[in-house]
Amino acid sequence: MLLDYANVLLFLSVGSFFIVFNLFLGSLFRPDNPDPEKLSTYECGEEPVGGSWIQFNIRFYVVALDFIIFDVEVVLLYPWAVVAQEFGWYGFGVAFVFIFILLLGLAFAWKKGTLEWVRPKVDRFRDTMTRPLVEEAA
Amino acid sequence: MDYALESLIKIAIVLGVIITTVAYVVLAERKVSAYIQNRLGPNRVGPWGLLQPLADGLKFILKEDVIPNHVNKAIYLIAPAAILVPALMGFAVVPFGDTLMVVGREVQLIISDADIGVLYILAVSSLGVYGVVLGGWASNNKYALMGGVRASAQMISYELSLGLSLIGVLMIAESLKLSDVVNLQATGTVLGVLPAWFVFNQPIACLVFMVSVFAETNRLPFDLPEAEQELVAGYHAEYSSMKFAMFFMAEYAHMITASALIATLFFGGWHLPGVDPTDSSFALSVLKVLVFAVKTAFFLFVFIWVRWTVPRFRYDQVMRLGWKYLLPLALLNVLLTGLYLTLNR
């Protein structure tokens, strides 16, 4: 039983050794002559303007939040899936209620527009405070 | 002691086969793409370009390894390993054959027949996203950061459908052990004629799983994270030499693991219709391994075929497909399967 996981550990160590060995092997042969041009940020030959760690779109964050909710759902459904045939109608009912509640969450996210990726139209003449975070796509 | 030696030999063989396959899938990809586009492809190194992978490997080792000034060095160095290791690790629980008699010992052709095999695969494959995000962030490059952020959002979105699609399969198999899943498919039939493969029992799950796997491996039509035309190479833009090779190998290793999983979970693994699954004579055992290899190779070909046939999605289309179509479809499949099983109890 535990030996199964010892095998996984062994696989991990052999795999990691392979990677380290390859890097080491390369370091014996490869040339090493850096110059300032070579070590600069790659931006297709342009001089980079500003730093790279810029703000990215807030929607990536919202997607990650949605993901966490549903990932927990998936993990909780696994134990039920394995014994679903034994539990019969009772188990099915419980799972159905559980999935239904989470479907409400999906419906909410859908309606709220967090699943939309079309750029929101900015109406400069309207009060920006009353505008929803992401507008419905036309 | 014998057991440890047996495991070590199995691991060495499996890793060797995967690395070799990675090298040759790269060649196969170039050849197939060439023929699809009516070109010849690599044909200078060796007959039919067969030595090309060796030349590529040698070149990767001999190239200068540029570590730019502006990177976050520790994380920059960890990222390639963090993406390649999970890509290889997934294979640890995939049964590549039934059992084989070698010098009087019955060897099970799987590295680790863990009880929670399916859960393990999902856990390990989702670790791959760390390599992408860390590599993209540590490079301190705008293209790399954008690629990393896109990749993470895409991979976590499709992981949901990936996990949910397998629930239907598990409900029928009543086990998370992959050898149990294969054994179940090797016995009985669907509708009296088709083998009891899950592709026939669970067609929706199979479809959702295959699409999600394409997105998880960042392959076309889901290769937004490295979209060449806008992000040059995405998260590995600042990597060179062997470290770049690791990102490259990780993508193909991930493809191999994914193909093996599709074959195992939905197409019967080593099972060939008409061959007695309980017969474990030497010839039949070898045949089972070959059957598994052929099925895996077929799905690898599908990966390549799709890449050179289907154009890239836009990002909003990727997200819409994942959240608005695949996720509800996978949930519906779970409910339908549950209803069917409970009614026929």
Side-chain angles (χ1 to χ4, degrees):
Chain A
M1 186 52 57
L2 266 179
L3 276 176
D4 283 336
Y5 299 102
N7 280 347
V8 172
L9 193 66
L10 198 61
F11 193 62
L12 176 68
S13 3
V14 175
S16 312
F17 172 77
F18 168 78
I19 292 168
V20 175
F21 176 76
N22 263 332
L23 282 176
F24 170 74
L25 194 69
S27 72
L28 294 180
F29 298 110
R30 61 181 165 233
D32 181 28
N33 37 8
D35 66 58
E37 288 286 304
K38 211 185 271 179
L39 296 183
S40 63
T41 308
Y42 177 73
E43 214 154 281
C44 305
E46 295 288 322
E47 288 280 337
V49 177
S52 311
W53 290 324
I54 45 169
Q55 286 187 331
F56 50 82
N57 202 315
I58 185 78
R59 276 174 287 186
F60 287 107
Y61 179 73
V62 180
V63 161
L65 277 185
D66 288 347
F67 160 73
I68 288 178
I69 298 165
F70 280 96
D71 209 32
V72 171
E73 172 191 8
V74 173
V75 170
L76 288 177
L77 277 177
Y78 267 81
W80 167 72
V82 177
V83 292
Q85 293 195 34
E86 286 168 42
F87 277 4
W89 281 113
Y90 173 71
F92 180 72
V94 172
F96 183 80
V97 171
F98 181 60
I99 293 176
F100 181 73
I101 292 173
L102 281 147
L103 272 179
L104 285 183
L106 182 66
F108 176 75
W110 198 318
K111 191 83 193 77
K112 200 78 181 158
T114 55
L115 307 180
E116 301 287 345
W117 282 78
V118 179
R119 185 180 287 271
K121 277 171 273 166
V122 180
D123 185 352
R124 296 191 188 282
F125 298 106
R126 241 164 66 186
D127 183 8
T128 47
M129 294 304 285
T130 57
R131 200 161 47 83
L133 181 67
V134 178
E135 276 184 14
E136 288 285 323
Chain B
M1 200 56 231
D2 275 358
Y3 182 81
L5 190 67
E6 182 191 312
S7 301
L8 203 61
I9 293 175
K10 271 195 289 190
I11 288 170
I13 292 175
V14 167
L15 268 181
V17 168
I18 293 180
I19 302 293
T20 317
T21 315
V22 164
Y24 277 92
V25 171
V26 176
L27 176 67
E29 170 126 51
R30 294 177 64 183
K31 273 290 183 189
V32 171
S33 68
Y35 286 130
I36 286 177
Q37 296 169 341
N38 207 3
R39 296 182 283 120
L40 280 178
N43 62 355
R44 287 288 176 266
V45 194
W48 207 68
L50 278 177
L51 296 178
Q52 185 72 39
L54 276 178
D56 286 347
L58 206 60
K59 193 169 179 179
F60 275 132
I61 288 177
L62 294 178
K63 276 284 175 185
E64 180 178 358
D65 192 1
V66 180
I67 301 179
N69 275 329
H70 50 89
V71 299
N72 184 323
K73 208 167 173 189
I75 298 179
Y76 177 85
L77 294 179
I78 290 171
I83 191 170
L84 180 53
V85 167
L88 293 173
M89 288 281 291
F91 214 87
V93 294
V94 176
F96 47 92
D98 193 11
T99 52
L100 188 64
M101 294 295 283
V102 186
V103 287
R105 280 176 67 89
E106 190 176 320
V107 179
Q108 225 195 340
L109 293 181
I110 179 170
I111 288 172
S112 164
D113 198 10
D115 287 336
I116 52 153
V118 176
L119 209 55
Y120 167 88
I121 283 176
L122 289 177
V124 168
S125 73
S126 60
L127 286 180
V129 75
Y130 282 108
V132 173
V133 169
L134 292 178
W137 181 82
S139 294
N140 196 354
N141 175 311
K142 285 161 198 156
Y143 295 128
L145 184 75
M146 281 312 299
V149 171
R150 275 189 193 183
S152 59
Q154 173 183 323
M155 285 167 91
I156 60 179
S157 298
Y158 281 81
E159 210 179 293
L160 295 175
S161 333
L162 193 77
L164 276 173
S165 65
L166 290 181
I167 286 182
V169 171
L170 299 177
M171 282 160 82
I172 298 175
E174 291 190 282
S175 171
L176 288 165
K177 216 174 179 172
L178 279 169
S179 57
D180 285 352
V181 174
V182 175
N183 283 327
L184 189 79
Q185 295 179 80
T187 49
T189 52
V190 177
L191 302 173
V193 278
L194 300 167
W197 295 354
F198 278 116
V199 62
F200 303 120
N201 278 334
Q202 288 278 322
I204 304 177
C206 183
L207 182 75
V208 173
F209 186 83
M210 281 187 74
V211 175
S212 308
V213 142
F214 272 82
E216 283 284 299
T217 47
N218 293 332
R219 292 282 297 183
L220 261 164
F222 300 102
D223 75 333
L224 276 297
E226 44 193 290
E228 293 88 348
Q229 290 83 354
E230 40 178 324
L231 289 181
V232 285
Y235 50 85
H236 52 58
E238 290 282 13
Y239 284 88
S240 50
S241 176
M242 206 61 215
K243 292 199 201 62
F244 168 74
M246 282 179 186
F247 277 103
F248 204 64
M249 282 162 69
E251 180 181 332
Y252 285 88
H254 207 146
M255 259 167 72
I256 293 171
T257 312
S259 305
L261 275 178
I262 296 172
T264 305
L265 288 164
F266 292 102
F267 289 84
W270 42 258
H271 173 241
L272 183 70
V275 173
D276 181 13
T278 51
D279 189 342
S280 57
S281 65
F282 188 79
L284 270 188
S285 301
V286 174
L287 179 69
K288 284 170 182 172
V289 177
L290 284 179
V291 167
F292 174 76
V294 168
K295 284 179 185 173
T296 308
F298 173 74
F299 288 108
L300 279 172
F301 172 72
V302 172
F303 266 98
I304 297 172
W305 185 14
V306 168
R307 172 168 176 185
W308 297 98
T309 310
V310 184
R312 183 182 301 133
F313 285 142
R314 276 198 328 258
Y315 202 73
D316 62 312
Q317 292 172 329
V318 169
M319 283 300 172
R320 194 169 66 214
L321 180 68
W323 285 95
K324 295 192 172 176
Y325 293 92
L326 291 185
L327 186 61
L329 198 61
L331 277 171
L332 187 73
N333 183 51
V334 171
L335 287 178
L336 284 180
T337 312
L339 205 60
Y340 177 82
L341 287 176
T342 325
L343 281 173
N344 287 281
R345 200 152 66 97

